[in-house]
Amino acid sequence: EAGLNFEIPQTKLKNSFEVNVFRSEISNWILWLPNLKGYWEPVNLSKVNARGVELAMFVNQEVGSIRLGISGRYSYTKSTIENSGGVMRPEANGKQLPFIPVHSGGLSVNSSWKKYSIIYTFTHFSERFTTTSNNPNSVRKLYPYYMNSASIGKDFKLLKTNAALQLRVDNLLNESYQTILWRPMPGRNYIFTIKVYL
C-alpha cells in the first residue's frame, strides 16, 4: 500500500488531496455466501487478489462569517478470485468477489454560520454480485444505488455546558435499495439528536 497527501496551506483552513493505491494477495480467504435455504455458509477460497485506488479531497473556505466545506471520496476496488481451490466452478476464477462494489464514492457539503450548521451527503455504490459467476442477468444481484441525507443543527449553552441539537433525514429521496440480498433497507427516516459535552 502506498499513499500521497498534498496540502494547500492557508492561515486558518486546511485543504488537502489524497491518493492511495493498494494490492493484497490473500491465501485461504473465507467467503460467506447466502444459500437458497435462508442461511449463510462459509466457502474457503485458495487465493484472492484485492487491488485498487482511493481518492479523497477536502476543501474549506470562509466567506465572511460563513464557513463552507466540501469533501469527496472515490474508491475503485477490484477483488477477484484467482484460485477457488476447487470449491467453485472454473468460471469463478477472475471474477469479482460477491458483495464488494467495484466503484463507490461520496460527496459531503457542509456550511456553518454562527451556531448553526447544515450538512448534505451523497453516496453511491455500483452493482454488487451475490454469486461468484458475476452473471449480469442474475436476479440475485444487488443493483447500484444513490443515497442522499441532509441535516441541520444548532450549538447552544445548557446550564453553562456546551450542547447541540441536530435533525437528520436519511434516504432523503426515499429510494428502494438493499445492502444485503433480500433485506430491503428503510425508506426515508429521521434522526433527532441531542448532545451534551461534559
Side-chain angles (χ1 to χ4, degrees):
E1 182 175 353
L4 178 65
N5 178 277
F6 175 71
E7 293 185 5
I8 302 175
Q10 288 189 354
T11 305
K12 298 180 180 179
L13 305 178
K14 176 182 175 183
N15 299 326
S16 63
F17 301 87
E18 298 177 3
V19 57
N20 293 285
V21 293
F22 63 91
R23 181 185 178 93
S24 300
E25 292 187 0
I26 302 103
S27 300
N28 296 316
W29 179 289
I30 298 176
L31 175 67
W32 286 85
L33 291 173
N35 62 28
L36 296 177
K37 296 179 181 179
Y39 59 86
W40 292 61
E41 57 185 0
V43 176
N44 195 300
L45 304 175
S46 292
K47 186 177 180 181
V48 168
N49 187 0
R51 64 274 190 201
V53 60
E54 298 172 339
L55 305 174
M57 71 166 190
F58 306 91
V59 179
N60 297 280
Q61 189 64 48
E62 285 187 348
V63 181
S65 60
I66 299 175
R67 180 169 178 170
L68 301 174
I70 299 175
S71 61
R73 292 186 178 276
Y74 168 76
S75 296
Y76 172 82
T77 306
K78 193 71 173 174
S79 298
T80 53
I81 302 170
E82 298 301 313
N83 187 347
S84 65
V87 297
M88 300 286 180
R89 294 180 179 177
E91 56 264 29
N93 293 336
K95 299 296 178 60
Q96 179 79 355
L97 283 175
F99 296 101
I100 297 181
V102 175
H103 305 281
S104 62
L107 181 70
S108 179
V109 180
N110 65 80
S111 175
S112 61
W113 174 73
K114 295 184 177 180
K115 302 283 187 182
Y116 296 90
S117 62
I118 297 175
I119 302 173
Y120 167 77
T121 303
F122 167 84
T123 54
H124 167 66
F125 295 90
S126 63
E127 70 176 355
R128 289 151 294 148
F129 297 101
T130 61
T131 62
T132 55
S133 66
N134 288 186
N135 182 358
N137 299 317
S138 174
V139 296
R140 298 179 64 189
K141 72 177 180 179
L142 296 171
Y143 291 91
Y145 68 89
Y146 303 87
M147 193 54 46
N148 299 268
S149 68
S151 67
I152 183 170
K154 184 181 188 302
D155 296 332
F156 63 97
K157 288 283 188 179
L158 180 64
L159 300 176
K160 298 182 179 180
T161 302
N162 291 328
L165 295 176
Q166 185 186 67
L167 175 63
R168 192 177 81 213
V169 184
D170 289 331
N171 196 359
L172 192 63
L173 302 182
N174 203 31
E175 183 172 355
S176 298
Y177 72 104
Q178 298 179 38
T179 58
I180 299 176
L181 188 64
W182 301 319
R183 296 185 185 179
M185 297 298 289
R188 185 183 298 114
N189 58 92
Y190 306 86
I191 299 175
F192 181 70
T193 305
I194 300 176
K195 295 180 180 180
V196 179
Y197 302 97
L198 301 177

